[in-house]
mmCIF file of all heavy atoms in Angstrom:
data_model
loop_
_atom_site.group_PDB
_atom_site.id
_atom_site.type_symbol
_atom_site.label_atom_id
_atom_site.label_comp_id
_atom_site.label_asym_id
_atom_site.label_seq_id
_atom_site.Cartn_x
_atom_site.Cartn_y
_atom_site.Cartn_z
ATOM 1 N N ALA A 1 -0.377 37.910 -2.516
ATOM 2 C CA ALA A 1 -1.515 37.446 -1.729
ATOM 3 C C ALA A 1 -2.719 38.205 -1.999
ATOM 4 O O ALA A 1 -2.697 39.456 -2.069
ATOM 5 C CB ALA A 1 -1.235 37.472 -0.197
ATOM 6 N N ALA A 2 -3.900 37.579 -2.082
ATOM 7 C CA ALA A 2 -5.151 38.302 -2.428
ATOM 8 C C ALA A 2 -6.206 37.644 -1.400
ATOM 9 O O ALA A 2 -6.331 36.542 -1.298
ATOM 10 C CB ALA A 2 -5.659 37.919 -3.844
ATOM 11 N N PRO A 3 -6.934 38.545 -0.689
ATOM 12 C CA PRO A 3 -7.990 38.131 0.200
ATOM 13 C C PRO A 3 -9.192 37.620 -0.494
ATOM 14 O O PRO A 3 -9.332 37.897 -1.708
ATOM 15 C CB PRO A 3 -8.322 39.344 1.063
ATOM 16 C CG PRO A 3 -7.945 40.421 0.139
ATOM 17 C CD PRO A 3 -6.714 39.982 -0.696
ATOM 18 N N GLY A 4 -10.079 36.984 0.147
ATOM 19 C CA GLY A 4 -11.335 36.687 -0.457
ATOM 20 C C GLY A 4 -11.506 35.133 -0.630
ATOM 21 O O GLY A 4 -10.614 34.412 -0.785
ATOM 22 N N SER A 5 -12.739 34.774 -0.703
ATOM 23 C CA SER A 5 -13.110 33.312 -0.801
ATOM 24 C C SER A 5 -13.083 32.831 -2.216
ATOM 25 O O SER A 5 -13.363 31.696 -2.455
ATOM 26 C CB SER A 5 -14.437 33.122 -0.138
ATOM 27 O OG SER A 5 -15.440 33.823 -0.806
ATOM 28 N N ILE A 6 -13.004 33.756 -3.263
ATOM 29 C CA ILE A 6 -13.104 33.284 -4.674
ATOM 30 C C ILE A 6 -11.777 33.378 -5.300
ATOM 31 O O ILE A 6 -11.757 33.459 -6.585
ATOM 32 C CB ILE A 6 -14.161 34.103 -5.407
ATOM 33 C CG1 ILE A 6 -13.855 35.570 -5.396
ATOM 34 C CG2 ILE A 6 -15.571 33.838 -4.882
ATOM 35 C CD1 ILE A 6 -14.820 36.367 -6.368
ATOM 36 N N PHE A 7 -10.706 33.412 -4.514
ATOM 37 C CA PHE A 7 -9.377 33.552 -5.281
ATOM 38 C C PHE A 7 -9.109 32.496 -6.331
ATOM 39 O O PHE A 7 -8.593 32.683 -7.282
ATOM 40 C CB PHE A 7 -8.305 33.412 -4.240
ATOM 41 C CG PHE A 7 -6.893 33.362 -4.696
ATOM 42 C CD1 PHE A 7 -6.249 34.552 -5.026
ATOM 43 C CD2 PHE A 7 -6.231 32.092 -4.940
ATOM 44 C CE1 PHE A 7 -4.973 34.489 -5.644
ATOM 45 C CE2 PHE A 7 -4.953 32.022 -5.423
ATOM 46 C CZ PHE A 7 -4.270 33.270 -5.740
ATOM 47 N N SER A 8 -9.661 31.231 -5.968
ATOM 48 C CA SER A 8 -9.462 30.203 -6.994
ATOM 49 C C SER A 8 -10.048 30.465 -8.383
ATOM 50 O O SER A 8 -9.705 29.765 -9.348
ATOM 51 C CB SER A 8 -10.007 28.833 -6.381
ATOM 52 O OG SER A 8 -11.317 28.891 -6.204
ATOM 53 N N MET A 9 -10.996 31.419 -8.424
ATOM 54 C CA MET A 9 -11.638 31.705 -9.620
ATOM 55 C C MET A 9 -11.010 32.789 -10.423
ATOM 56 O O MET A 9 -11.303 33.067 -11.612
ATOM 57 C CB MET A 9 -13.178 32.161 -9.391
ATOM 58 C CG MET A 9 -13.870 31.072 -8.663
ATOM 59 S SD MET A 9 -15.602 31.578 -8.229
ATOM 60 C CE MET A 9 -16.348 31.582 -9.787
ATOM 61 N N TYR A 10 -9.935 33.401 -9.851
ATOM 62 C CA TYR A 10 -9.229 34.501 -10.447
ATOM 63 C C TYR A 10 -8.273 33.978 -11.518
ATOM 64 O O TYR A 10 -7.541 32.942 -11.254
ATOM 65 C CB TYR A 10 -8.437 35.425 -9.581
ATOM 66 C CG TYR A 10 -9.268 36.166 -8.519
ATOM 67 C CD1 TYR A 10 -8.605 36.441 -7.281
ATOM 68 C CD2 TYR A 10 -10.636 36.465 -8.725
ATOM 69 C CE1 TYR A 10 -9.289 37.117 -6.382
ATOM 70 C CE2 TYR A 10 -11.244 37.106 -7.710
ATOM 71 C CZ TYR A 10 -10.714 37.528 -6.515
ATOM 72 O OH TYR A 10 -11.369 38.090 -5.568
ATOM 73 N N THR A 11 -8.103 34.680 -12.609
ATOM 74 C CA THR A 11 -6.938 34.523 -13.453
ATOM 75 C C THR A 11 -5.882 35.384 -12.902
ATOM 76 O O THR A 11 -6.071 36.591 -12.755
ATOM 77 C CB THR A 11 -7.199 34.881 -14.953
ATOM 78 O OG1 THR A 11 -8.125 33.880 -15.457
ATOM 79 C CG2 THR A 11 -5.961 34.799 -15.781
ATOM 80 N N MET A 12 -4.710 34.825 -12.668
ATOM 81 C CA MET A 12 -3.622 35.641 -12.002
ATOM 82 C C MET A 12 -2.477 35.807 -12.995
ATOM 83 O O MET A 12 -2.167 34.888 -13.668
ATOM 84 C CB MET A 12 -3.153 35.024 -10.704
ATOM 85 C CG MET A 12 -4.179 34.697 -9.656
ATOM 86 S SD MET A 12 -4.973 36.337 -9.004
ATOM 87 C CE MET A 12 -3.435 37.105 -8.338
ATOM 88 N N GLY A 13 -1.882 36.992 -12.951
ATOM 89 C CA GLY A 13 -0.748 37.170 -13.776
ATOM 90 C C GLY A 13 0.323 38.039 -13.181
ATOM 91 O O GLY A 13 0.067 38.748 -12.217
ATOM 92 N N TRP A 14 1.481 37.996 -13.712
ATOM 93 C CA TRP A 14 2.530 38.841 -13.412
ATOM 94 C C TRP A 14 3.006 39.674 -14.524
ATOM 95 O O TRP A 14 3.158 39.085 -15.720
ATOM 96 C CB TRP A 14 3.806 38.047 -12.833
ATOM 97 C CG TRP A 14 3.687 37.333 -11.520
ATOM 98 C CD1 TRP A 14 3.278 36.160 -11.245
ATOM 99 C CD2 TRP A 14 3.897 38.040 -10.258
ATOM 100 N NE1 TRP A 14 3.194 36.014 -9.950
ATOM 101 C CE2 TRP A 14 3.638 37.056 -9.262
ATOM 102 C CE3 TRP A 14 4.275 39.361 -9.911
ATOM 103 C CZ2 TRP A 14 3.692 37.461 -7.888
ATOM 104 C CZ3 TRP A 14 4.330 39.649 -8.528
ATOM 105 C CH2 TRP A 14 4.061 38.663 -7.587
ATOM 106 N N TYR A 15 3.204 40.954 -14.369
ATOM 107 C CA TYR A 15 3.613 41.815 -15.458
ATOM 108 C C TYR A 15 4.869 42.617 -14.889
ATOM 109 O O TYR A 15 5.077 42.576 -13.619
ATOM 110 C CB TYR A 15 2.541 42.942 -15.774
ATOM 111 C CG TYR A 15 1.327 42.356 -16.419
ATOM 112 C CD1 TYR A 15 0.330 41.591 -15.733
ATOM 113 C CD2 TYR A 15 0.999 42.704 -17.714
ATOM 114 C CE1 TYR A 15 -0.687 40.939 -16.322
ATOM 115 C CE2 TYR A 15 -0.217 42.152 -18.359
ATOM 116 C CZ TYR A 15 -0.987 41.288 -17.553
ATOM 117 O OH TYR A 15 -2.067 40.788 -18.221
ATOM 118 N N ARG A 16 5.548 43.237 -15.812
ATOM 119 C CA ARG A 16 6.680 43.981 -15.411
ATOM 120 C C ARG A 16 6.853 45.202 -16.225
ATOM 121 O O ARG A 16 6.417 45.328 -17.404
ATOM 122 C CB ARG A 16 8.030 43.206 -15.495
ATOM 123 C CG ARG A 16 8.471 42.766 -16.770
ATOM 124 C CD ARG A 16 9.588 41.822 -16.695
ATOM 125 N NE ARG A 16 10.209 41.579 -18.116
ATOM 126 C CZ ARG A 16 11.052 40.622 -18.327
ATOM 127 N NH1 ARG A 16 11.672 39.990 -17.263
ATOM 128 N NH2 ARG A 16 11.505 40.293 -19.659
ATOM 129 N N GLN A 17 7.501 46.341 -15.585
ATOM 130 C CA GLN A 17 7.728 47.435 -16.395
ATOM 131 C C GLN A 17 9.052 47.981 -15.940
ATOM 132 O O GLN A 17 9.426 48.225 -14.814
ATOM 133 C CB GLN A 17 6.714 48.540 -15.967
ATOM 134 C CG GLN A 17 6.777 49.827 -16.802
ATOM 135 C CD GLN A 17 5.524 50.727 -16.573
ATOM 136 O OE1 GLN A 17 4.817 50.562 -15.695
ATOM 137 N NE2 GLN A 17 5.315 51.624 -17.581
ATOM 138 N N ALA A 18 9.901 48.066 -17.054
ATOM 139 C CA ALA A 18 11.319 48.563 -16.916
ATOM 140 C C ALA A 18 11.331 49.989 -17.174
ATOM 141 O O ALA A 18 10.348 50.631 -17.774
ATOM 142 C CB ALA A 18 12.160 47.828 -17.898
ATOM 143 N N PRO A 19 12.321 50.761 -16.701
ATOM 144 C CA PRO A 19 12.333 52.218 -16.952
ATOM 145 C C PRO A 19 12.215 52.526 -18.359
ATOM 146 O O PRO A 19 12.972 52.019 -19.153
ATOM 147 C CB PRO A 19 13.699 52.637 -16.253
ATOM 148 C CG PRO A 19 13.871 51.662 -15.181
ATOM 149 C CD PRO A 19 13.380 50.285 -15.821
ATOM 150 N N GLY A 20 11.340 53.459 -18.712
ATOM 151 C CA GLY A 20 11.230 53.994 -20.129
ATOM 152 C C GLY A 20 10.549 52.936 -21.030
ATOM 153 O O GLY A 20 10.475 53.209 -22.223
ATOM 154 N N LYS A 21 9.908 51.918 -20.429
ATOM 155 C CA LYS A 21 9.286 50.879 -21.377
ATOM 156 C C LYS A 21 7.934 50.646 -20.897
ATOM 157 O O LYS A 21 7.509 51.064 -19.764
ATOM 158 C CB LYS A 21 10.074 49.537 -21.323
ATOM 159 C CG LYS A 21 11.455 49.669 -21.986
ATOM 160 C CD LYS A 21 12.078 48.203 -21.984
ATOM 161 C CE LYS A 21 13.432 48.173 -22.694
ATOM 162 N NZ LYS A 21 13.990 46.877 -22.774
ATOM 163 N N GLN A 22 7.033 50.059 -21.726
ATOM 164 C CA GLN A 22 5.718 49.783 -21.419
ATOM 165 C C GLN A 22 5.701 48.551 -20.480
ATOM 166 O O GLN A 22 6.536 47.680 -20.540
ATOM 167 C CB GLN A 22 4.903 49.606 -22.670
ATOM 168 C CG GLN A 22 4.663 50.864 -23.490
ATOM 169 C CD GLN A 22 3.718 50.594 -24.682
ATOM 170 O OE1 GLN A 22 3.582 49.491 -25.135
ATOM 171 N NE2 GLN A 22 3.063 51.685 -25.095
ATOM 172 N N ARG A 23 4.562 48.470 -19.779
ATOM 173 C CA ARG A 23 4.267 47.269 -18.962
ATOM 174 C C ARG A 23 4.042 46.060 -19.878
ATOM 175 O O ARG A 23 3.375 46.265 -20.915
ATOM 176 C CB ARG A 23 3.177 47.466 -17.972
ATOM 177 C CG ARG A 23 2.882 46.519 -16.927
ATOM 178 C CD ARG A 23 1.873 46.913 -16.042
ATOM 179 N NE ARG A 23 2.125 48.089 -15.268
ATOM 180 C CZ ARG A 23 1.449 48.637 -14.240
ATOM 181 N NH1 ARG A 23 0.376 47.916 -13.907
ATOM 182 N NH2 ARG A 23 1.850 49.668 -13.660
ATOM 183 N N GLU A 24 4.678 45.013 -19.512
ATOM 184 C CA GLU A 24 4.532 43.795 -20.489
ATOM 185 C C GLU A 24 4.072 42.607 -19.539
ATOM 186 O O GLU A 24 4.479 42.439 -18.330
ATOM 187 C CB GLU A 24 5.782 43.511 -21.193
ATOM 188 C CG GLU A 24 6.996 43.184 -20.232
ATOM 189 C CD GLU A 24 8.200 42.902 -21.095
ATOM 190 O OE1 GLU A 24 8.221 42.907 -22.259
ATOM 191 O OE2 GLU A 24 9.284 42.593 -20.408
ATOM 192 N N LEU A 25 3.444 41.663 -20.176
ATOM 193 C CA LEU A 25 3.053 40.459 -19.600
ATOM 194 C C LEU A 25 4.300 39.553 -19.296
ATOM 195 O O LEU A 25 5.097 39.357 -20.298
ATOM 196 C CB LEU A 25 2.001 39.705 -20.353
ATOM 197 C CG LEU A 25 1.619 38.365 -19.763
ATOM 198 C CD1 LEU A 25 0.815 38.430 -18.532
ATOM 199 C CD2 LEU A 25 0.698 37.644 -20.886
ATOM 200 N N VAL A 26 4.363 38.945 -18.148
ATOM 201 C CA VAL A 26 5.473 38.027 -17.921
ATOM 202 C C VAL A 26 4.974 36.559 -17.935
ATOM 203 O O VAL A 26 5.423 35.774 -18.610
ATOM 204 C CB VAL A 26 6.174 38.275 -16.511
ATOM 205 C CG1 VAL A 26 7.243 37.279 -16.177
ATOM 206 C CG2 VAL A 26 6.702 39.712 -16.475
ATOM 207 N N ALA A 27 3.915 36.318 -17.158
ATOM 208 C CA ALA A 27 3.323 35.008 -17.034
ATOM 209 C C ALA A 27 1.941 35.082 -16.506
ATOM 210 O O ALA A 27 1.606 36.112 -15.877
ATOM 211 C CB ALA A 27 4.159 34.075 -16.200
ATOM 212 N N ILE A 28 1.113 34.108 -16.864
ATOM 213 C CA ILE A 28 -0.278 34.097 -16.433
ATOM 214 C C ILE A 28 -0.653 32.707 -16.052
ATOM 215 O O ILE A 28 -0.166 31.738 -16.617
ATOM 216 C CB ILE A 28 -1.146 34.716 -17.578
ATOM 217 C CG1 ILE A 28 -2.535 35.051 -17.108
ATOM 218 C CG2 ILE A 28 -1.157 33.866 -18.792
ATOM 219 C CD1 ILE A 28 -3.267 35.917 -18.056
ATOM 220 N N ILE A 29 -1.604 32.565 -15.081
ATOM 221 C CA ILE A 29 -2.102 31.249 -14.719
ATOM 222 C C ILE A 29 -3.658 31.408 -14.558
ATOM 223 O O ILE A 29 -4.040 32.326 -13.890
ATOM 224 C CB ILE A 29 -1.410 30.782 -13.396
ATOM 225 C CG1 ILE A 29 -1.870 29.382 -13.125
ATOM 226 C CG2 ILE A 29 -1.617 31.714 -12.251
ATOM 227 C CD1 ILE A 29 -1.031 28.612 -12.018
ATOM 228 N N SER A 30 -4.311 30.528 -15.198
ATOM 229 C CA SER A 30 -5.738 30.520 -15.136
ATOM 230 C C SER A 30 -6.366 29.893 -13.887
ATOM 231 O O SER A 30 -5.577 29.337 -13.097
ATOM 232 C CB SER A 30 -6.369 29.767 -16.400
ATOM 233 O OG SER A 30 -6.043 28.451 -16.256
ATOM 234 N N SER A 31 -7.581 30.012 -13.724
ATOM 235 C CA SER A 31 -8.248 29.378 -12.592
ATOM 236 C C SER A 31 -8.164 27.874 -12.540
ATOM 237 O O SER A 31 -8.109 27.194 -11.440
ATOM 238 C CB SER A 31 -9.729 29.794 -12.527
ATOM 239 O OG SER A 31 -10.378 29.385 -13.653
ATOM 240 N N SER A 32 -7.924 27.339 -13.715
ATOM 241 C CA SER A 32 -7.831 25.830 -13.836
ATOM 242 C C SER A 32 -6.422 25.331 -13.766
ATOM 243 O O SER A 32 -6.085 24.213 -13.763
ATOM 244 C CB SER A 32 -8.470 25.310 -15.130
ATOM 245 O OG SER A 32 -7.739 25.911 -16.251
ATOM 246 N N GLY A 33 -5.433 26.406 -13.704
ATOM 247 C CA GLY A 33 -4.028 26.069 -13.487
ATOM 248 C C GLY A 33 -3.234 26.104 -14.754
ATOM 249 O O GLY A 33 -2.012 25.875 -14.774
ATOM 250 N N GLY A 34 -3.836 26.350 -15.938
ATOM 251 C CA GLY A 34 -3.129 26.508 -17.093
ATOM 252 C C GLY A 34 -2.225 27.740 -17.169
ATOM 253 O O GLY A 34 -2.647 28.763 -16.566
ATOM 254 N N THR A 35 -0.979 27.587 -17.690
ATOM 255 C CA THR A 35 -0.102 28.653 -17.595
ATOM 256 C C THR A 35 0.391 29.063 -19.022
ATOM 257 O O THR A 35 0.437 28.322 -20.022
ATOM 258 C CB THR A 35 1.163 28.329 -16.759
ATOM 259 O OG1 THR A 35 1.890 27.235 -17.301
ATOM 260 C CG2 THR A 35 0.633 27.980 -15.359
ATOM 261 N N ASN A 36 0.966 30.260 -19.038
ATOM 262 C CA ASN A 36 1.549 30.841 -20.276
ATOM 263 C C ASN A 36 2.564 31.811 -19.788
ATOM 264 O O ASN A 36 2.444 32.462 -18.796
ATOM 265 C CB ASN A 36 0.611 31.414 -21.287
ATOM 266 C CG ASN A 36 1.074 31.542 -22.723
ATOM 267 O OD1 ASN A 36 2.262 30.995 -23.005
ATOM 268 N ND2 ASN A 36 0.330 32.128 -23.466
ATOM 269 N N ALA A 37 3.665 31.949 -20.668
ATOM 270 C CA ALA A 37 4.710 32.887 -20.181
ATOM 271 C C ALA A 37 5.218 33.533 -21.525
ATOM 272 O O ALA A 37 5.213 32.975 -22.638
ATOM 273 C CB ALA A 37 5.850 32.154 -19.492
ATOM 274 N N ALA A 38 5.854 34.684 -21.315
ATOM 275 C CA ALA A 38 6.531 35.485 -22.372
ATOM 276 C C ALA A 38 7.664 34.655 -22.903
ATOM 277 O O ALA A 38 8.333 34.054 -22.128
ATOM 278 C CB ALA A 38 6.827 36.768 -21.967
ATOM 279 N N ASP A 39 8.006 34.785 -24.206
ATOM 280 C CA ASP A 39 9.122 34.086 -24.685
ATOM 281 C C ASP A 39 10.386 34.391 -24.008
ATOM 282 O O ASP A 39 11.257 33.593 -23.790
ATOM 283 C CB ASP A 39 9.266 34.359 -26.178
ATOM 284 C CG ASP A 39 8.187 33.835 -27.092
ATOM 285 O OD1 ASP A 39 7.510 32.843 -26.532
ATOM 286 O OD2 ASP A 39 7.966 34.232 -28.214
ATOM 287 N N ALA A 40 10.490 35.694 -23.555
ATOM 288 C CA ALA A 40 11.742 36.213 -22.920
ATOM 289 C C ALA A 40 12.028 35.448 -21.622
ATOM 290 O O ALA A 40 13.197 35.552 -21.151
ATOM 291 C CB ALA A 40 11.667 37.686 -22.646
ATOM 292 N N VAL A 41 10.993 34.861 -20.991
ATOM 293 C CA VAL A 41 11.307 34.244 -19.699
ATOM 294 C C VAL A 41 10.968 32.752 -19.660
ATOM 295 O O VAL A 41 11.222 32.032 -18.727
ATOM 296 C CB VAL A 41 10.384 34.908 -18.565
ATOM 297 C CG1 VAL A 41 10.643 36.364 -18.539
ATOM 298 C CG2 VAL A 41 8.913 34.604 -18.869
ATOM 299 N N LYS A 42 10.518 32.190 -20.793
ATOM 300 C CA LYS A 42 10.236 30.820 -20.838
ATOM 301 C C LYS A 42 11.542 29.875 -20.526
ATOM 302 O O LYS A 42 12.567 30.185 -21.087
ATOM 303 C CB LYS A 42 9.679 30.414 -22.280
ATOM 304 C CG LYS A 42 8.245 30.687 -22.394
ATOM 305 C CD LYS A 42 7.738 30.365 -23.759
ATOM 306 C CE LYS A 42 6.221 30.652 -23.916
ATOM 307 N NZ LYS A 42 5.763 30.272 -25.260
ATOM 308 N N GLY A 43 11.254 29.058 -19.673
ATOM 309 C CA GLY A 43 12.363 28.131 -19.249
ATOM 310 C C GLY A 43 13.144 28.706 -18.069
ATOM 311 O O GLY A 43 13.940 28.044 -17.494
ATOM 312 N N ARG A 44 12.933 29.904 -17.735
ATOM 313 C CA ARG A 44 13.623 30.581 -16.495
ATOM 314 C C ARG A 44 12.579 30.930 -15.441
ATOM 315 O O ARG A 44 12.868 30.786 -14.276
ATOM 316 C CB ARG A 44 14.311 31.817 -16.976
ATOM 317 C CG ARG A 44 15.460 31.527 -17.991
ATOM 318 C CD ARG A 44 16.255 32.763 -18.288
ATOM 319 N NE ARG A 44 15.485 33.971 -18.808
ATOM 320 C CZ ARG A 44 15.338 35.066 -18.147
ATOM 321 N NH1 ARG A 44 15.973 35.248 -16.998
ATOM 322 N NH2 ARG A 44 14.650 36.062 -18.709
ATOM 323 N N PHE A 45 11.381 31.370 -15.806
ATOM 324 C CA PHE A 45 10.460 31.822 -14.798
ATOM 325 C C PHE A 45 9.247 30.790 -14.715
ATOM 326 O O PHE A 45 8.914 30.345 -15.803
ATOM 327 C CB PHE A 45 9.833 33.103 -15.188
ATOM 328 C CG PHE A 45 10.798 34.289 -15.120
ATOM 329 C CD1 PHE A 45 12.126 34.163 -14.888
ATOM 330 C CD2 PHE A 45 10.331 35.642 -15.142
ATOM 331 C CE1 PHE A 45 13.051 35.132 -14.781
ATOM 332 C CE2 PHE A 45 11.129 36.622 -15.079
ATOM 333 C CZ PHE A 45 12.513 36.424 -14.822
ATOM 334 N N THR A 46 8.769 30.489 -13.570
ATOM 335 C CA THR A 46 7.579 29.670 -13.465
ATOM 336 C C THR A 46 6.525 30.402 -12.550
ATOM 337 O O THR A 46 6.842 30.869 -11.473
ATOM 338 C CB THR A 46 7.990 28.336 -12.818
ATOM 339 O OG1 THR A 46 8.982 27.776 -13.540
ATOM 340 C CG2 THR A 46 6.758 27.462 -12.673
ATOM 341 N N ILE A 47 5.290 30.386 -13.088
ATOM 342 C CA ILE A 47 4.157 30.890 -12.268
ATOM 343 C C ILE A 47 3.423 29.736 -11.700
ATOM 344 O O ILE A 47 3.320 28.674 -12.272
ATOM 345 C CB ILE A 47 3.301 31.805 -13.090
ATOM 346 C CG1 ILE A 47 2.227 32.587 -12.316
ATOM 347 C CG2 ILE A 47 2.677 31.021 -14.277
ATOM 348 C CD1 ILE A 47 1.388 33.584 -13.052
#
């Protein structure tokens, strides 16, 4: 959840970081609703 009246204008994303690994992009959704996901989670995760 994010406060504010301009939330709809944000590009929102989910990232993850496993122990000993770098933070990586999981999925992203633009202000217009377009989405993209990492290959490792495509077909399993939905943003």
